[in-house]
């Protein structure tokens, strides 16, 4: 079996929260007539540029045409050279590698008639607890609609949220206070995510201030990107475990080696797919550090991959973030991945375990345009331009 052709399909999917995100669906075809599907998830992040898709498709075909898809190690090794780690949270290299890694796992699972977790050696669990995101509030007016959204998600079974904080501490405090009044005993908070907006002193003062109003399991991204010293200082003082997105394998090692954090946020979109993520989890295992599985908000293909990763993870101490299929209003698959009581279920079908609806994909396929315009806060916070805080 040889890789015959790689095709890329841009799609744009609206979120329930009023923004739209671009993704690239990857189709790998073999000379045996087999097909696998992958996903480069959520391109709608800074820096504000997009793939030249025809060029990327040409390059991937030149690189991988004729390759043995069973030799995942070789394909990955080649891709790591041509699409090296970029060291930031929305690395396009990681997305290219994830797209191919997922499509090849899907392909091989389908050819062998087994779920991807079997290709990864078996499974330790068949579901993983996940949390629903509450996007950052920049004004008090944004608190009430978010509380109502939590009520709606609770009705769908989600009893765990995470909250993006750090832009307007009054709004954060008001949200946490009213959240506790309304949802205590019904909904829990997994994390406060500062998204690297504040330095360690300001994040530390914020969490100490918020502690009077709510409880949460952990805090994430509490210092500017790359501020190892600040992260160590925060972690040393913090009553809560601290997590950070790991951008590549050595970054994970550095974070652990110098005692900078408690939890590695392992995200396949950033690391370049399943193989790279499993290696990073092994680093956490070696160091007796903790792991959670993060997200960029994938569609069902990417979320299924996260579920397979969770099913084989030797270390997995905290709930995961993967609820994209319940955030977007459209998907390219016939039946999205399933959730039950705030848990993502590991798909049991062959490959990633979700079926791409090709007619739908054709309909959804659109230019991969940047959709946030010059709304910087919207692009950072994932909130719509008509939010109250944006009104003059
Ligand atoms: O919703 C999104 O697209 C978010 O930006 C997301 O990619 C990240 O914020 C991530 C995180 O934990 O920081 O989920
Ligand atoms: Mg985060
Ligand atoms: Mg994202």
């Amino acid at each position: 079996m040889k890789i015959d052709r790689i095709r890329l399909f841009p799609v744009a999917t609206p979120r329930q929260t009023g923004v739209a995100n671009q993704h690239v669906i990857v189709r790998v075809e073999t000379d045996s007539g087999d097909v696998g599907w992958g996903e480069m998830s959520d391109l709608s992040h800074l820096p504000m540029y997009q793939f030249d898709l025809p060029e990327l498709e040409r390059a991937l075909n030149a690189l991988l045409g004729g390759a043995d898809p069973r030799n995942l190690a070789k394909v990955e090794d080649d891709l790591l050279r041509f699409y090296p780690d970029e060291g930031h949270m929305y690395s396009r290299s990681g997305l290219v590698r994830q797209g191919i890694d997922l499509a090849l796992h899907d392909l091989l699972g389908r050819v062998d008639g087994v779920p991807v977790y079997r290709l990864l050696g078996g499974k330790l669990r068949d579901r993983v607890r996940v949390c629903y995101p509450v996007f950052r509030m920049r004004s008090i007016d944004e608190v009430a609609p978010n509380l109502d959204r939590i009520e709606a998600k609770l009705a769908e079974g989600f009893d765990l949220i995470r909250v993006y904080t750090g832009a307007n501490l009054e709004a954060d405090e008001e949200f946490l206070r009213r959240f506790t009044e309304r949802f205590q005993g019904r909904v829990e908070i997994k994390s406060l995510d500062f998204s690297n907006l504040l330095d360690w002193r300001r994040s530390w003062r914020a969490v100490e201030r918020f502690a009077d109003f709510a409880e949460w399991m952990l805090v994430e991204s509490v210092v500017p990107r790359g501020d190892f010293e600040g992260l160590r200082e925060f972690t040393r003082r913090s009553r809560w475990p601290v997590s950070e997105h790991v951008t590549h394998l050595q970054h994970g090692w550095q974070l652990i080696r110098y005692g900078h954090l408690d939890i590695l946020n392992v995200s396949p979109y950033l690391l370049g797919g399943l193989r790279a993520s499993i290696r990073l989890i092994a680093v956490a295992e070696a160091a007796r550090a903790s792991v959670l599985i993060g997200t960029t908000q994938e569609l069902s293909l990417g979320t299924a991959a996260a579920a397979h990763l969770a099913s084989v993870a030797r270390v997995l101490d905290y709930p995961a973030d993967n609820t994209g299929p319940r955030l977007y209003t459209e998907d390219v698959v016939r039946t999205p991945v399933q959730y039950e009581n705030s848990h993502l279920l590991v798909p049991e079908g062959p490959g990633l375990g979700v079926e791409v609806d090709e007619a739908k994909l054709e309909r959804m396929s659109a230019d991969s345009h940047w959709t946030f315009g010059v709304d910087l806060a919207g692009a950072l916070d994932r909130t719509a331009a008509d939010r109250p805080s944006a009104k003059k």
Side-chain angles (χ1 to χ4, degrees):
M1 188 165 61
K2 285 188 168 49
I3 295 175
D4 191 37
R5 184 178 176 201
I6 293 167
R7 294 177 64 191
L8 304 179
F9 301 86
V11 297
T13 55
R15 292 183 179 189
Q16 293 170 344
T17 48
V19 299
N21 294 51
Q22 290 71 46
H23 317 264
V24 173
I25 305 301
V26 180
R27 178 183 157 106
V28 173
E29 304 167 0
T30 65
D31 60 352
S32 52
D34 294 293
V35 170
W37 294 93
E39 175 184 308
M40 302 175 189
S41 319
D42 193 358
L43 300 167
S44 309
H45 280 286
L46 303 172
M48 192 168 76
Y49 59 78
Q50 296 296 20
F51 288 135
D52 177 341
L53 273 188
E55 173 57 23
L56 179 60
E57 194 176 73
R58 192 201 59 72
L60 289 172
N61 276 288
L63 203 57
L64 300 177
D68 172 4
R70 288 197 186 277
N71 196 345
L72 294 171
K74 172 79 170 102
V75 170
E76 188 191 31
D77 192 62
D78 286 345
L79 286 180
L80 268 166
R81 292 169 203 280
F82 283 93
Y83 300 92
D85 292 319
E86 292 169 292
H88 66 91
M89 249 189 77
Y90 298 110
S91 154
R92 305 299 199 272
S93 274
L95 285 176
V96 170
R97 282 187 272 115
Q98 162 174 293
I100 299 296
D101 172 275
L102 265 47
L104 291 183
H105 281 90
D106 187 52
L107 169 81
L108 297 180
R110 286 172 186 283
V111 169
D112 292 352
V114 297
V116 161
Y117 67 77
R118 286 275 296 280
L119 301 176
L120 303 177
K123 78 177 164 175
L124 297 170
R125 51 188 79 78
D126 56 17
R127 59 184 58 205
V128 57
R129 193 169 184 212
V130 292
C131 57
Y132 199 83
V134 173
F135 293 102
R136 187 167 291 106
M137 289 152 279
R138 288 185 185 246
S139 99
I140 301 270
D141 303 342
E142 287 155 18
V143 170
N146 274 337
L147 293 168
D148 291 342
R149 175 170 295 281
I150 295 170
E151 195 75 65
K153 289 298 146 188
L154 182 57
E156 290 177 29
F158 291 97
D159 62 3
L160 185 64
I161 59 162
R162 64 190 171 113
V163 189
Y164 292 94
T165 49
N168 178 336
L169 302 191
E170 279 68 40
D172 294 341
E173 183 179 307
E174 175 84 355
F175 171 85
L176 293 169
R177 194 177 55 72
R178 285 162 62 183
F179 168 84
T180 302
E181 278 167 18
R182 187 159 159 191
F183 294 105
Q184 192 164 33
R186 297 196 295 148
V187 180
E188 286 184 285
I189 300 178
K190 185 215 94 191
S191 56
L192 305 184
D193 190 337
F194 287 83
S195 304
N196 313 103
L197 292 178
L198 303 181
D199 57 74
W200 77 264
R201 289 182 185 80
R202 287 178 173 81
S203 297
W204 186 70
R205 283 201 296 268
V207 290
E208 288 295 329
R209 167 176 167 182
F210 298 158
D212 289 341
F213 303 100
E215 290 177 3
W216 52 85
M217 299 176 188
L218 62 106
V219 292
E220 184 161 286
S221 299
V222 290
V223 298
R225 286 182 193 165
D227 180 7
F228 286 107
E229 291 297 313
L231 185 55
R232 184 168 54 202
E233 195 57 39
F234 185 102
T235 303
R236 202 174 59 73
R237 292 169 186 243
S238 177
R239 293 186 255 161
W240 300 274
V242 177
S243 76
E244 186 50 275
H245 295 262
V246 180
T247 60
H248 53 82
L249 198 59
Q250 201 216 1
H251 181 223
W253 180 84
Q254 288 172 322
L255 287 168
I256 288 171
R257 169 70 180 79
Y258 298 106
H260 294 305
L261 86 178
D262 305 286
I263 307 166
L264 301 185
N265 177 322
V266 177
S267 299
Y269 82 88
L270 184 45
L271 298 162
L274 292 166
R275 292 173 55 83
S277 299
I278 289 170
R279 282 199 296 281
L280 180 60
I281 292 172
V283 172
E285 181 180 359
R288 304 206 192 292
S290 295
V291 166
L292 68 82
I293 296 177
T295 189
T296 187
Q297 302 302 352
E298 297 80 11
L299 293 171
S300 274
L301 284 161
T303 307
H308 289 285
L309 175 64
S311 79
V312 303
R314 287 265 303 143
V315 184
L316 191 64
D317 310 282
Y318 291 94
D321 294 339
N322 313 82
T323 49
R326 291 299 185 91
L327 182 63
Y328 296 113
T329 58
E330 283 183 300
D331 208 323
V332 300
V333 296
R334 282 181 217 286
T335 311
V337 289
Q338 299 298 302
Y339 293 88
E340 236 176 64
N341 302 327
S342 241
H343 286 72
L344 167 63
L345 308 187
V346 180
E348 286 296 336
L352 290 170
V354 287
E355 301 298 323
V356 171
D357 180 336
E358 294 191 49
K360 196 150 83 170
L361 176 61
E362 208 65 52
R363 275 201 307 279
M364 284 174 66
S365 205
D367 290 340
S368 195
H369 285 145
W370 175 256
T371 55
F372 282 97
V374 290
D375 176 15
L376 181 62
L380 290 169
D381 295 353
R382 332 304 288 155
T383 49
D386 64 355
R387 65 192 175 276
S389 59
K391 299 208 173 87
K392 291 274 172 312

